[in-house]
Amino acid sequence: MTAPTITSIRAGRIGDSPQRPDGRQKVTGEFAYSSDLWLDGMLWGATLRSPHPRARITGLDITGAVAMPGVFAVLTHEDVPGRETYGLERPDQPVLAIDQIRYQGEPVALVAADHPETARRAAGRIRVSYREEPPLADARAALAPGAPSVHPGGNLVRHVRVRRGDPDARAAVVVTGEYEVGMQDQAFLGPESGLAVPAADGGVDLFVATQWLHVDRDQVAASLGLDPDLVRITLGGVGGAFGAREDLSMQIHACLLALHTGKPVKMSYSREESFFGHVHRHPASMRYEHGCSAGGRLVYVKADIVLDGGAYMSSSPAVAANAATLGIGPYEVPNVVMDSYAVYTNNPPCGAMRGFGAVQACFGYESQMDKMAAALSMDPVEFRVRNAMREGSVMPTGQVVDSAAPVAELLRLVRDRPPPPARDTGDLRSLPGGVSNTTHGEAVVRGVGYGVSIKNVGFSEGFDDYSTARVRLELTGGEPSAQVHTAAAEVGQGLVTVLEQIVRSELGVERVAVLPADTTIGSAGSSSASRQTYVTGGAVRAACAEVRSQLLARAGDPAAGSPGNRPPGLAGAAGLGDLVALLGKPAEATVTWRHRPTAPLDPGTGQGQAHVQYAFAAHRAVVDVDTELGLVKVVEIATAQDVGKAMNPQAVEGQIHGGIAQGLGLAVMEEIQVAGGVVRNPSFTDYLIPTILDMPPVRLDMLELADPHAPYGLRGVGEPPAISSTPAIVAAIRDATGIPLTRIPVRPEHLTATQPDEGPDPPSAMIMGRNAPHRVPFDPRS
Amino acid sequence: MTTRHPPGSPGSAAVEFLRPRSLSQALAAKAELQDALPIAGGTDVMVEINFGKRRPAALLDLTGVRELRGWQRDGALLRVGSGVTYTRLEAELAGLLPGLAMAARTVGSPQIRNRGTIGGNLGAASPAGDCHPVLLAAGAAVEAGSVRGARLIPADAFFLGPKRSALADDELITAVLVPPAPGPQQFAKVGTRNAMVIAVCSFALELRPGAGVGTGIGSAGPTPLRARDAEDFLAAELAGSGLWESREPLPGAVARRFGELAAAAARPVDDVRGSAAYRRHALSVLARRALGWAWDSYRKEGHLCG
């Protein structure tokens, strides 16, 4: 059984935008996603999940399920042969619930049967007795003394402190604010799915849609009690990821069932189950205090950010670090007191999602920047420009930003874009409410808002962040052709295309095949943190250089020893005829490549060279708001982003459009509504994501200011578009309505003072009054 | 690795699937298997099945029943077959039933509108069904067929509760009977996205020049509702002030009061799609605006007619 090799002979080198090999298949519905995997004789797995967010399991009876015809296995935590827990940073999450439930949807038991419906029905016949307990559903309450502990050791997952300058700094003008971010979902369209095939050697082959094959492998192997070499993972077709596939979902479950039954087992979640099957974006509760000189220079920022990590750790510690280190935005601020907390609750587990801690903070600091500009009677862009970070600026962590940081330029670019045309009231699609015919222009007010953001690229805080690539050059049918092998996950971002472009540019050959990503080669790290083109692209480039060096040595070229100095394009250097002659035997190189190292944060002060690279984007949003109905139409987004080097301009543009759509969703519609730990809208009927009628035209300025530390000078592009688009849209809604919006997503109720039960949001309370300097770390437990 | 789709259901989980080729076959099948769930476009039924909310023992597929698929004049009324899709309501009935065409335009996506039918909308009997407010406002009747014969159920007697209708177990919805619009119709719906959204609340209005007005409220009560006080108030204002004849601009106070009365007729709850308070507020706005647009149309018609 082999997955299809993705081969492309279309031309396209670095800086071109060749057609991606999976594009036509996806558009025509022919692409094989992991949910399409199939083997004759395979079984189907189903998961029984807890309906309660917090409970003790007092009884578990599987006899009714076992007795059903067609059922091959019913498993509980007692059937886990190895480690009974897993997790990205710490294995705190049970493979199957052990005596207690910590969130709604927690897996309790597994069934394998010869038909998916049989498996589901059998799962329904498992009798579980629960003793419900009141869920801990509020993150700040979870930190209060005496709060019940979700895990032994208390509810604090991580507290990140960042201290810079004078903690008691005073300023002429002070604004404070409290902000809340709801729980966003990655809303990928391809549900969690995969196929586990037991192997003759006692191991298992797993075909699965994931973001990071090797970390999946290590966790699966630990829980199966197998040597990692006996767990082989191949990437299945991925239908979107956005962070939600960084944690495990059905991987261990399918492998358990396959090894238990000796048969291939497929699992594929339904849409509803998917909402319980992956982590979400952390909801945040934030308090900010900004101090500014009368002349408009920031003097200090004090903030605390509480991130609701839900029932298990996932990547919460790293999310908290991002929120803390990036939490004042791309501004020069001499004095900073920042505390970020990740907290356990009985809410759905939260972890990685595009923007990863920077998104929540950006809504807080950009809302504050607007508030301060208003307090100073300054133009919001001018105020930002006056305080903008630039190359050489010092982060609150003490890290010097040592490549381009064109924050002021990005802001000016979006500000100077011509305004969009006036609305066409003759076309319902251009009005708030769209074709639902709610306004013909009545009560519609236009607003403009700005946002700018900072994001780290790559893994931080001393993590050994590397990728492995093998490049092989040989003659196929008398023509030179290259093969590239990595374990890097193509999650839809276009990595396969970019790797082909790199090989074509480096080796000067047209025929390039990217082999399926699997664990027979070393780790490529995760397809997350905007890092894969940087790190795996860097590894492929290095492997190409090694291959080139081998061939030049064969040719007796004296420059062979320093391949990095050769102009790219082996054919150009040696001539195609010579290349054929040199390839009597294939040339191959496997390279493990690392970006420059980072360092941990000092636990007391948050000082440290924690990040590899910073990326910046600015957004201007223009919105039309029906101020009577509270409906919003985003009219246009102007954006400017420095991408270092546009390896594939069309793919970069796609990332920017997609990120803006996701940021728009968080601004005005996307929220998993959780009440008392229970999810109220686990469907695409009620979890709304933007449609094409919600997505406005995007006016894009793409800067290419090379980062000398990065391959090709590139800068990660995936996340920044999703970060400041949100506060820009909210600022535009504030501009149109005059309502001080402090919570996202903004709902029509917020704009019409019709929230359930309570009245409109309370005014931004003065938690950190201007006369109450921070002598001790801010206590979030209030 | 090959890619295939799962085979048919195993015996233990089988759903009987009936495909009548004529209305008489369909009615006979429904009489025999009364818990068979009728399915046409499948845009409601399949969602419920896929989410595990329904496990019907049998599905009665009506897509092969030609008699249900057309619409025609039936005396003074229009007879719209239950199998007419939203796409066709929008394309073919925009002149005769503009409110229904507007409502159909707000349903789902083009793919959904190509599949979903007016009969399916009624059969689901959701308080949020987009056709329902218009049918209430237009004074439509639902034709229910069975082997016992056909009967007409007035739209405002059809909806009994959330997803419950007056249909008997052996009956199928065969058609909707509705007068062609005697005057302007409007439909407006609030959702928290600009397309493809289930109503947070909706409002439909029909003006019957010289004769009265009809209203319908969606998604703001256990069933679709009429705003009877609003209808009576507006009918009295229009008649009493001679506005039908004069076609003068409508006083702002009348439109506002109409909105207030429409909102007062709603019985909304707080749910994931919106708060009760918002629904009431939004209905008052939608009703006021819909009246404004309808009255403007009426005035322009008068101008055009001379």
Side-chain angles (χ1 to χ4, degrees):
Chain A
M1 190 167 63
T2 54
T5 299
I6 300 173
T7 307
S8 170
I9 55 167
R10 281 172 291 275
R13 304 193 178 202
I14 291 168
D16 296 339
S17 297
Q19 198 180 74
R20 48 190 297 163
D22 54 341
R24 177 177 292 272
Q25 294 172 23
K26 284 177 173 169
V27 170
T28 56
E30 289 169 1
F31 185 80
Y33 291 98
S34 56
S35 51
D36 298 318
L37 291 163
W38 182 277
L39 270 184
D40 286 333
M42 71 182 186
L43 303 177
W44 294 78
T47 312
L48 178 70
R49 296 173 181 274
S50 166
H52 310 296
R54 184 157 177 253
R56 291 276 159 185
I57 297 174
T58 57
L60 186 57
D61 177 4
I62 64 172
T63 51
V66 173
M68 272 183 71
V71 170
F72 282 70
V74 182
L75 306 181
T76 70
H77 77 90
E78 292 177 351
D79 300 299
V80 178
R83 196 173 69 191
E84 284 197 61
T85 56
Y86 69 94
L88 280 176
E89 298 209 14
R90 186 196 297 166
D92 67 345
Q93 185 156 4
V95 173
L96 293 165
I98 306 168
D99 303 332
Q100 63 175 310
I101 298 298
R102 295 190 180 87
Y103 75 98
Q104 184 203 16
E106 181 152 5
V108 176
L110 304 169
V111 177
D114 58 6
H115 189 277
E117 180 66 17
T118 306
R120 280 193 291 272
R121 290 185 183 206
R125 291 204 189 172
I126 298 170
R127 295 284 160 253
V128 188
S129 305
Y130 297 101
R131 190 178 73 233
E132 288 182 65
E133 296 175 350
L136 185 58
D138 181 89
R140 284 190 188 265
L143 287 176
S149 283
V150 177
H151 292 270
N155 297 326
L156 180 63
V157 176
R158 187 178 182 189
H159 171 195
V160 182
R161 294 161 52 94
V162 178
R163 300 289 183 273
R164 180 170 188 230
D166 176 7
D168 300 327
R170 303 288 189 100
V173 186
V174 174
V175 297
T176 64
E178 291 188 38
Y179 305 95
E180 272 187 48
V181 180
M183 185 184 290
Q184 189 179 20
D185 189 63
Q186 299 86 350
F188 54 51
L189 297 188
E192 294 85 346
S193 48
L195 175 64
V197 185
D201 60 2
V204 62
D205 292 280
L206 176 64
F207 301 80
V208 66
T210 183
Q211 291 179 240
W212 192 354
L213 282 70
H214 284 76
V215 159
D216 278 16
R217 180 198 63 180
D218 292 347
Q219 294 177 87
V220 170
S223 290
L224 296 178
L226 290 177
D227 186 281
D229 289 344
L230 288 174
V231 177
R232 293 162 293 257
I233 299 187
T234 303
L235 185 69
V238 181
F242 311 108
R245 296 188 207 273
E246 205 162 56
D247 292 80
L248 295 182
S249 57
M250 45 57 66
Q251 285 90 330
I252 300 173
H253 296 166
C255 291
L256 278 174
L257 291 169
L259 292 177
H260 200 84
T261 60
K263 290 173 175 292
V265 174
K266 172 172 174 170
M267 296 187 83
S268 184
Y269 290 176
S270 69
R271 177 59 56 200
E272 181 176 20
E273 185 171 22
S274 176
F275 275 97
F276 298 99
H278 60 255
V279 298
H280 315 290
R281 189 190 297 291
H282 290 71
S285 160
M286 305 181 286
R287 296 166 177 170
Y288 272 92
E289 177 179 322
H290 279 60
C292 195
S293 72
R297 290 302 299 257
L298 286 167
V299 176
Y300 71 87
V301 176
K302 299 173 184 176
D304 83 83
I305 299 173
V306 177
L307 299 154
D308 185 347
Y312 295 104
M313 182 176 284
S314 179
S315 49
S316 283
V319 172
N322 264 16
T325 57
L326 308 172
I328 65 161
Y331 302 110
E332 290 190 334
V333 183
N335 307 294
V336 175
V337 177
M338 164 66 78
D339 292 277
S340 158
Y341 305 82
V343 180
Y344 283 129
T345 66
N346 293 115
N347 287 324
C350 290
M353 183 176 173
R354 194 180 202 172
F356 202 82
V359 164
Q360 295 90 333
C362 187
F363 175 60
Y365 64 71
E366 285 299 85
S367 297
Q368 285 285 100
M369 292 301 281
D370 282 333
K371 205 166 177 177
M372 180 62 87
L376 294 164
S377 300
M378 275 184 75
D379 174 78
V381 174
E382 179 52 35
F383 176 57
R384 286 173 169 85
V385 165
R386 195 168 296 187
N387 291 282
M389 169 179 285
R390 58 193 166 200
E391 184 166 355
S393 292
V394 181
M395 295 289 291
T397 58
Q399 186 169 20
V400 175
V401 178
D402 62 357
S403 71
V407 177
E409 186 180 356
L410 297 173
L411 283 162
R412 290 192 190 102
L413 281 167
V414 297
R415 180 194 61 195
D416 294 343
R417 279 268 175 189
R423 64 184 156 269
D424 173 9
T425 53
D427 184 350
L428 286 177
R429 293 172 302 178
S430 72
L431 290 165
V435 297
S436 292
N437 189 37
T438 50
T439 181
H440 298 174
E442 296 91 340
V444 177
V445 179
R446 182 156 287 191
V448 181
Y450 295 87
V452 63
S453 52
I454 180 171
K455 177 68 181 57
N456 59 323
V457 173
F459 280 35
S460 300
E461 295 188 81
F463 187 87
D464 183 18
D465 195 15
Y466 66 92
S467 181
T468 315
R470 177 179 304 137
V471 171
R472 179 184 172 92
L473 188 60
E474 62 190 354
L475 293 178
T476 307
E479 282 185 52
S481 71
Q483 289 184 346
V484 189
H485 189 197
T486 76
E490 166 68 80
V491 297
Q493 80 277 45
L495 181 72
V496 163
T497 315
V498 166
L499 298 185
E500 288 173 0
Q501 292 175 253
I502 289 172
V503 173
R504 285 197 196 96
S505 292
E506 293 295 336
L507 296 180
V509 295
E510 293 303 311
R511 297 167 66 95
V512 181
V514 176
L515 300 180
D518 60 33
T519 50
T520 63
I521 189 169
S523 176
S526 180
S527 288
S528 63
S530 306
R531 66 177 282 288
Q532 208 55 287
T533 300
Y534 189 133
V535 187
T536 294
V540 168
R541 183 176 73 156
C544 287
E546 182 69 32
V547 164
R548 197 167 62 219
S549 178
Q550 288 176 21
L551 290 170
L552 291 171
R554 288 180 197 175
D557 187 313
S562 52
N565 296 331
R566 299 289 306 186
L570 186 63
L576 189 61
D578 294 341
L579 181 56
V580 170
L582 291 173
L583 280 172
K585 62 172 184 174
E588 180 179 306
T590 304
V591 171
T592 300
W593 189 86
R594 289 172 163 78
H595 60 62
R596 56 188 175 144
T598 60
L601 295 168
D602 180 278
T605 62
Q607 298 299 295
Q609 310 292 309
H611 296 310
V612 185
Q613 185 189 53
Y614 295 102
F616 305 91
H619 296 87
R620 181 190 71 187
V622 178
V623 304
D624 279 341
V625 183
D626 182 334
T627 55
E628 263 192 310
L629 287 174
L631 301 178
V632 176
K633 169 77 180 174
V634 181
V635 173
E636 184 199 80
I637 298 286
T639 185
Q641 183 170 335
D642 172 28
V643 303
K645 167 70 184 172
M647 302 289 284
N648 179 323
Q650 189 180 52
V652 170
E653 201 172 337
Q655 285 287 322
I656 289 171
H657 284 235
I660 287 169
Q662 219 151 14
L664 185 158
L666 178 60
V668 296
M669 64 182 83
E670 289 192 39
E671 182 176 9
I672 295 185
Q673 298 183 43
V674 184
V678 174
V679 175
R680 302 170 74 210
N681 56 338
S683 74
F684 281 155
T685 305
D686 285 313
Y687 183 89
L688 299 181
I689 55 179
T691 70
I692 197 67
L693 275 185
D694 297 283
M695 182 66 192
V698 171
R699 312 294 174 205
L700 168 62
D701 282 301
M702 198 190 292
L703 301 189
E704 296 186 82
L705 307 175
D707 178 351
H709 311 288
Y712 307 109
L714 71 83
R715 202 175 286 286
V717 299
E719 292 170 285
I723 300 174
S724 45
S725 48
T726 305
I729 290 166
V730 177
I733 301 171
R734 287 192 196 107
D735 183 47
T737 62
I739 300 172
L741 303 164
T742 58
R743 187 183 194 284
I744 48 174
V746 175
R747 296 181 58 90
E749 282 87 347
H750 297 134
L751 300 175
T752 53
T754 53
Q755 289 94 329
D757 303 328
E758 68 232 20
D761 279 348
S764 51
M766 300 294 116
I767 301 301
M768 296 177 286
R770 65 180 68 186
N771 297 320
H774 281 255
R775 298 196 189 284
V776 292
F778 186 78
D779 183 354
R781 294 162 293 185
S782 56
Chain B
M1 177 146 317
T2 56
T3 298
R4 273 176 24 198
H5 293 289
S9 304
S12 63
V15 175
E16 197 168 346
F17 194 76
L18 308 168
R19 290 209 79 184
R21 310 305 303 183
S22 69
L23 182 57
S24 59
Q25 280 181 17
L27 295 176
K30 185 65 174 150
E32 191 178 336
L33 255 182
Q34 299 199 355
D35 56 356
L37 183 63
I39 179 170
T43 58
D44 263 318
V45 169
M46 289 313 299
V47 172
E48 299 231 310
I49 289 175
N50 286 337
F51 271 74
K53 289 178 182 159
R54 287 183 101 136
R55 279 284 182 268
L59 286 172
L60 181 58
D61 176 16
L62 299 175
T63 52
V65 180
R66 188 192 310 260
E67 294 97 315
L68 305 179
R69 273 188 248 147
W71 65 268
Q72 57 277 137
R73 286 185 180 271
D74 184 351
L77 300 176
L78 292 168
R79 188 173 192 286
V80 182
S82 57
V84 174
T85 62
Y86 300 114
T87 297
R88 291 186 59 198
L89 295 177
E90 188 189 341
E92 300 170 24
L93 287 167
L96 290 167
L97 294 169
L100 196 58
M102 293 163 106
R105 174 70 183 94
T106 73
V107 175
S109 60
Q111 296 89 334
I112 299 280
R113 295 195 290 275
N114 285 340
R115 293 285 309 171
T117 63
I118 186 170
N121 206 210
L122 283 163
S126 161
D130 289 318
C131 291
H132 309 339
V134 182
L135 297 178
L136 287 171
V142 179
E143 184 188 81
S146 71
V147 292
R148 297 176 286 121
R151 67 174 175 133
L152 287 176
I153 308 168
D156 60 6
F158 182 79
F159 306 102
L160 301 182
K163 305 205 169 186
R164 283 195 305 118
S165 74
L167 218 55
D169 286 343
D170 66 341
E171 285 180 323
L172 293 173
I173 299 166
T174 49
V176 171
L177 287 146
V178 57
Q185 292 183 337
Q186 279 291 338
F187 175 79
K189 154 175 146 183
V190 166
T192 38
R193 146 169 103 181
N194 288 312
M196 229 168 90
V197 69
I198 291 182
V200 172
C201 62
S202 63
F203 185 79
L205 173 67
E206 176 179 277
L207 296 184
R208 299 166 197 147
V213 297
T215 61
I217 292 170
S219 215
T223 65
L225 300 163
R226 276 175 63 186
R228 291 171 195 272
D229 289 349
E231 290 175 8
D232 294 345
F233 162 78
L234 183 58
E237 286 289 329
L238 295 175
S241 311
L243 284 163
W244 289 122
E245 295 75 24
S246 71
R247 300 189 195 236
E248 290 293 311
L250 204 60
V254 171
R256 278 194 299 279
R257 183 65 187 147
F258 178 72
E260 289 164 12
L261 289 170
R267 288 147 59 200
V269 293
D270 292 333
D271 66 20
V272 289
R273 293 178 194 148
S275 72
Y278 176 73
R279 288 182 157 109
R280 270 192 205 284
H281 165 77
L283 275 171
S284 73
V285 176
L286 293 183
R288 167 163 49 81
R289 289 185 185 171
L291 175 56
W293 303 329
W295 191 254
D296 280 352
S297 299
Y298 178 65
R299 297 186 65 214
K300 279 181 196 146
E301 283 164 24
H303 180 71
L304 291 173
C305 295

